[in-house]
Amino acid sequence: MGDKNMGVMETIYLICLAGGLVYALITLFVGDAISDMLGEIHLPLLQPILLVSGITAFGGAGFLLTRLTNLAPGEIMLFSFLAGAVLAVGAYFLWIKPMARAEMSTGYSMDQLQGKIGEVGTAIPAEGLGEVFVSMISGVTHHMAASMEKQPIPEGTRVVIVEVRDHVLYVTPFPE
């Protein structure tokens, strides 16, 4: 009976290992689509790539320990589980977390400009457009701007962006 249980566990380990390897191959070819579908999980250690890495390591370690050692099935399962957990946690701290920081974009959306302080680079007429410089993480950006109160705003004036419509910043002088 011991051999039959060992055979079942060996099969489970192989399924985990094979499933992880198949997942890795599939993500190699269509990874972006899968990441978008599975990326809704926001718990850091429950990201799909970490779960699959842990399951794959569990399966690989279990299969190897079954074949190459004389450990009891419970010990093999424990060591396999620990190997999977260590790999998943290690991958999180060595790969996922640093990559998340690297992926932080220096880009922005126009909606994020609302409430920011800028400086008029080209005078803004009462009825018309001028230019405003806004300091962002990526540097200084230049945008078309119009006066919110329909009053002229001279060059060099600090302004606050009140609204963004149709890629035009509507600004008012910033009270000093």
Side-chain angles (χ1 to χ4, degrees):
M1 182 161 169
D3 285 334
K4 185 174 183 182
N5 281 341
M6 198 56 101
V8 170
M9 290 309 298
E10 194 171 306
T11 303
I12 290 171
Y13 295 137
L14 275 176
I15 290 170
C16 291
L17 177 62
L21 293 175
V22 167
Y23 179 84
L25 288 174
I26 290 171
T27 56
L28 181 65
F29 296 109
V30 290
D32 289 340
I34 290 174
S35 292
D36 289 344
M37 288 187 301
L38 297 176
E40 297 301 315
I41 299 173
H42 295 293
L43 297 172
L45 292 176
L46 293 180
Q47 294 182 11
I49 190 69
L50 296 178
L51 289 173
V52 172
S53 297
I55 290 170
T56 305
F58 168 79
F63 182 76
L64 289 174
L65 289 172
T66 300
R67 287 289 177 125
L68 302 176
T69 69
N70 290 326
L71 294 173
E75 292 173 320
I76 292 173
M77 187 175 291
L78 175 67
F79 289 136
S80 299
F81 177 78
L82 290 174
V86 166
L87 183 90
V89 171
Y92 175 74
F93 287 108
L94 295 173
W95 184 35
I96 301 294
K97 197 168 183 179
M99 291 299 284
R101 276 182 268 165
E103 288 177 359
M104 290 196 183
S105 174
T106 57
Y108 61 93
S109 83
M110 293 292 285
D111 293 336
Q112 291 173 319
L113 294 173
Q114 190 168 328
K116 295 230 181 262
I117 306 296
E119 183 178 324
V120 176
T122 303
I124 302 171
E127 296 287 333
L129 299 174
E131 184 178 42
V132 170
F133 304 138
V134 182
S135 293
M136 302 295 288
I137 292 172
S138 59
V140 177
T141 62
H142 309 266
H143 297 279
M144 293 184 299
S147 173
M148 190 74 178
E149 292 89 19
K150 305 288 185 203
Q151 299 292 323
I153 305 174
E155 183 177 326
T157 304
R158 285 175 44 109
V159 293
V160 63
I161 301 163
V162 178
E163 188 177 352
V164 179
R165 278 183 282 151
D166 301 320
H167 298 285
V168 175
L169 308 181
Y170 289 86
V171 299
T172 189
F174 184 73
E176 294 295 336

